[in-house]
Amino acid sequence: MDLDQLRYFQCVAETGNFTEAATRMNLSQSALSRSIQRLEEEFGQPFFERKPRSVELTDAGVLFQRSATQILRIVEDTQAEITDDGETGKIRVGAIPTIAPYFLPDLLKQFSDAFPRSHLIVHESTTEELLKKIKQGEIDIAILAEPVTEKYVEVRRLFAEELVLLLPPGHRLCEKKRIRLSDIEDEPFVMLDEAHCLSDNITTFCREQSVWPVAVENANQLATVQELVSLSHGVSMIPEMARRLDQCDRRVYRSLGKPRPSRTIVAVTNPYRFHSRLFAEFQAKLVGYSKTFAARPST
């Protein structure tokens, strides 16, 4: 057994498909299959249950995957520690979809300009998936919104931002100087689907004020929510960072009266993984950038 076999095994386990795994690993499917077969013969157990179009881990495969993950993680951390020069290396950054396109671009550019020999890799996914990747060592840091209830991770608060009310043009509330949550109590809401924590942020805030928003439509992307509101499908609440980048004149944004809805942006890391000097530089840049970002005036 060698490290390449472990990597091949992990890829097949992640993709659930030999063809896709072979493509990712730049191997022929037959070579990948032979490697997995030798591994299974060495341990005397099948690690995968072969199906017509996919494979699934057997009980032995699940057990082996745990050990393979630990071994590869130790090797990766050791390599990173040995080659740590504070200038080169790979940093894997995760972020949820309601943060990534609005917060990351300038941050990544600033860091790349300061450390041109670094390599930044972005993973955009849901909170649940990113926390899983943090714990498994697949990413180095995740930019999320509270609450984060996962154990054995380190959570650092970055800043809080307002959730602003989004209205279609011509809505009865557009001319009102002060809008209260009770004013939109009976309005239909356009929300992100349940996989996105922003919906939880909005629902929790409303229920704390004894208001129960009725979602008439759900979308997978924030841009879709904005478009549906533009078409008078309902109202919504949008993070301030998304409002800043919206140049469309078919949408109206308003702040709600106090208490105003908000969310807190946090950085999540795995304290049990080795973190390079380059990663420490990224964290410092992230903290400084967050302060500047939060202080930007609304447009």
Side-chain angles (χ1 to χ4, degrees), residues 44-230:
Q45 293 284 341
F47 291 150
F48 294 102
E49 179 184 351
R50 276 74 169 173
K51 296 184 177 182
R53 296 185 179 179
S54 64
V55 295
E56 291 183 2
L57 287 170
T58 61
D59 291 343
V62 171
L63 181 61
F64 185 76
Q65 187 182 35
R66 294 174 188 167
S67 298
T69 299
Q70 293 176 347
I71 293 169
L72 291 173
R73 184 183 302 166
I74 292 170
V75 171
E76 183 178 337
D77 284 352
T78 303
Q79 289 174 333
E81 191 168 0
I82 291 172
T83 60
D84 184 17
D85 61 3
E87 296 287 337
T88 60
K90 180 172 58 177
I91 298 175
R92 300 158 299 184
V93 184
I96 55 177
T98 58
I99 291 177
Y102 314 105
F103 179 76
L104 286 185
D106 284 347
L107 169 65
L108 300 182
K109 184 180 187 307
Q110 290 180 23
F111 189 79
S112 294
D113 289 345
F115 296 90
R117 292 193 293 159
S118 66
H119 183 41
L120 297 171
I121 301 172
V122 176
H123 297 261
E124 184 178 310
S125 191
T126 62
T127 297
E128 182 181 358
E129 286 300 313
L130 291 176
L131 287 173
K132 185 186 300 183
K133 289 179 181 293
I134 280 286
K135 296 191 73 171
Q136 293 176 347
E138 296 178 23
I139 59 176
D140 300 302
I141 190 167
I143 314 300
L144 310 173
E146 287 188 333
V148 176
T149 58
E150 191 75 29
K151 295 181 179 179
Y152 312 117
V153 296
E154 189 171 284
V155 180
R156 180 171 189 169
R157 292 190 176 186
L158 298 175
F159 62 94
E161 71 163 348
E162 181 184 356
L163 300 178
V164 294
L165 179 64
L166 174 60
L167 302 167
H171 191 278
R172 62 181 178 83
L173 294 175
C174 289
E175 302 304 322
K176 190 170 183 177
K177 292 182 179 180
R178 186 177 181 183
I179 303 175
R180 296 180 175 84
L181 187 61
S182 57
D183 292 327
I184 58 172
E185 183 174 4
D186 297 325
E187 294 284 341
F189 263 73
V190 181
M191 306 272 272
L192 287 171
D193 63 34
E194 294 179 355
H196 298 275
C197 61
L198 179 62
S199 295
D200 288 336
N201 294 147
I202 295 170
T203 303
T204 299
F205 170 78
C206 290
R207 288 177 178 173
E208 287 174 350
Q209 310 306 314
S210 299
V211 173
W212 283 261
V214 178
V216 292
E217 289 186 77
N218 295 92
N220 290 320
Q221 298 181 28
L222 206 52
T224 306
V225 171
Q226 291 171 305
E227 283 301 313
L228 289 173
V229 172
S230 297

Side-chain angles (χ1 to χ4, degrees), residues 263-284:
R263 66 174 181 173
T264 300
I265 309 303
V266 298
V268 181
T269 54
N270 185 339
Y272 303 101
R273 292 298 306 272
F274 167 75
H275 294 304
S276 67
R277 286 184 288 161
L278 182 68
F279 182 69
E281 294 284 358
F282 181 83
Q283 285 184 298

